[in-house]
Amino acid sequence: MGELFRLLRKGNKSALIAAIVNTIISIAKGIAYMFTGNVAMFAETMHSLGDAANQFFVFIGSALSKKSPTNRFPNGFGRLVNLVLLGAVLIVGIMAFETIQEGYHHILHPTESEGFLINIGVLAFALILEMYVLYKAMKEIMHEVGEPASGPSVFFKSFTHLGRAKPATKLVFMEDLVATSGGLIAIIAVVISHFTSIHWIEGAASILIGLMMFFVVGRVFLDNAAGVLGRADEEMEDKIGQLVMSDPDVKDIQDLAVIKEGEDLHVELEIEIDPSLTIAAADDIKDRLQEKIMAEKGVVDVTIEFDEEDGVMSWNSDSMVKK
């Protein structure tokens, strides 16, 4: 039990905050839907409920992925967060289908919903909380990539660096971006339906929200399917390649692979050195490079192999990119 709590403390904080907030929001929206029967509110209830369950699983998965390697699983549990996210998107997919189906039925048989003030009040309350979670996810992205940002700049920079964020943080960001957009769409639909006779607009809003949820499902599925297979991190490969080539004893890089498993990076490196160096000198080079590479954020292990210098450059030392 102590081991479990220790791992949970390492879980993704953005996912935990988002799970708690979306649970509160889904309860509020569900109660409002029971009293008003508003289909746009139903769509938002399903959306928030799916997000809450999804983000809770993400938090658990991100925590368990920090578990140390065992004899049975010597490579560790880094890819567990990707597996959990693949399972989690199924929940969102089911919720999205129900949302679209309910919206379609409402378009065919539009009815005027009641409780205009209740709907607007709950949706506005939920929108404020979702914007808070979205801002926290943006701040987490900037923290993970090591880029300082404050105020309005967080909004723009978070989009720029989204691809470098951890899988769990990326999912929270995307889900709450859709949730915030969906909240605005629902509010607009409720207002139009209340002040005009266009009652089918709530069904259309429900379908649009469902389609946005499916977009998240597709994007997250593709990202984490690649993570389960073990995706190369090309940006980190370039960075580590530059770091390695700056060492005076490294003549060339024969091969460099940085494999991303969940939030962890595994580095495999083959370098060329002067064949006249002693074993002790080569061991010093290995220790020095391992220490530098392990200092990079996210790197959990480094494997270094040596080869004698062949006089042919395999690594472009000017642009620091692999040929």
Side-chain angles (χ1 to χ4, degrees):
M1 187 63 70
E3 173 71 8
L4 177 60
F5 283 119
R6 185 184 65 81
L7 290 172
L8 289 177
R9 285 199 296 270
K10 296 182 180 181
N12 188 277
K13 300 300 187 296
S14 294
L16 178 60
I17 293 172
I20 295 172
V21 171
N22 276 296
T23 298
I24 296 172
I25 291 173
S26 63
I27 292 172
K29 289 178 179 178
I31 293 173
Y33 171 69
M34 290 174 59
F35 280 99
T36 66
N38 185 285
V39 70
M41 184 64 75
F42 171 81
E44 280 297 288
T45 301
M46 297 296 282
H47 189 179
S48 296
L49 189 62
D51 284 353
N54 205 355
Q55 289 154 355
F56 177 75
F57 283 123
V58 168
F59 169 71
I60 297 298
S62 67
L64 294 180
S65 70
K66 304 294 193 305
K67 183 176 174 60
S68 301
T70 63
N71 292 333
R72 188 176 181 184
F73 300 99
N75 291 327
F77 298 83
R79 299 189 192 189
L80 184 60
V81 64
N82 298 111
L83 289 172
V84 170
L85 286 170
L86 285 176
V89 295
L90 294 177
I91 298 175
V92 182
I94 294 171
M95 298 293 184
F97 174 76
E98 292 293 335
T99 299
I100 292 173
Q101 186 179 52
E102 188 68 21
Y104 175 71
H105 289 324
H106 188 80
I107 290 176
L108 293 180
H109 309 286
T111 56
E112 183 177 1
S113 59
E114 302 176 353
F116 172 72
L117 293 179
I118 294 176
N119 288 326
I120 291 296
V122 171
L123 288 172
F125 166 74
L127 183 61
I128 292 171
L129 291 181
E130 283 161 350
M131 290 176 66
Y132 166 75
V133 173
L134 180 60
Y135 180 75
K136 293 290 288 184
M138 290 178 173
K139 293 280 288 183
E140 186 70 14
I141 289 172
M142 301 313 299
H143 173 72
E144 289 175 359
V145 301
E147 292 284 343
S150 60
S153 65
V154 174
F155 178 82
F156 300 103
K157 289 185 176 181
S158 61
F159 279 94
T160 304
H161 298 289
L162 179 60
R164 296 169 55 195
K166 295 179 180 179
T169 305
K170 188 185 299 185
L171 175 64
V172 173
F173 174 87
M174 292 179 61
E175 285 192 338
D176 279 283
L177 180 63
V178 170
T180 303
S181 304
L184 288 171
I185 292 171
I187 289 174
I188 293 171
V190 169
V191 171
I192 293 176
S193 177
H194 180 75
F195 290 103
T196 70
S197 59
I198 311 176
H199 303 310
W200 57 264
I201 193 70
E202 294 178 1
S206 180
I207 291 177
L208 182 56
I209 292 169
L211 291 174
M212 291 166 65
M213 293 168 69
F214 267 127
F215 169 77
V216 173
V217 168
R219 177 69 183 273
V220 173
F221 177 84
L222 291 176
D223 283 351
N224 287 279
V228 169
L229 294 174
R231 178 178 52 190
D233 191 324
E234 296 180 356
E235 183 176 350
M236 188 58 76
E237 284 180 357
D238 291 339
K239 185 176 182 180
I240 292 177
Q242 182 175 356
L243 184 152
V244 171
M245 288 299 294
S246 67
D247 190 287
D249 290 314
V250 176
K251 305 303 181 182
D252 192 12
I253 298 177
Q254 282 279 10
D255 190 33
L256 171 59
V258 180
I259 306 301
K260 190 171 187 178
E261 296 186 351
E263 300 173 3
D264 299 334
L265 297 176
H266 303 268
V267 180
E268 297 177 2
L269 175 66
E270 183 178 352
I271 60 176
E272 292 182 8
I273 60 174
D274 189 335
S276 64
L277 289 176
T278 64
I279 294 177
D283 192 55
D284 289 340
I285 296 171
K286 181 178 181 180
D287 292 341
R288 185 168 65 241
L289 290 177
Q290 281 183 330
E291 184 178 356
K292 290 180 179 179
I293 296 173
M294 286 294 292
E296 294 294 326
K297 193 169 186 178
V299 176
V300 295
D301 62 65
V302 181
T303 301
I304 300 178
E305 296 181 1
F306 294 104
D307 198 358
E308 63 179 4
E309 184 182 8
D310 59 9
V312 179
M313 284 297 295
S314 300
W315 191 272
N316 189 329
S317 58
D318 293 326
S319 60
M320 292 305 172
V321 295
K322 193 179 282 189
K323 287 182 177 180

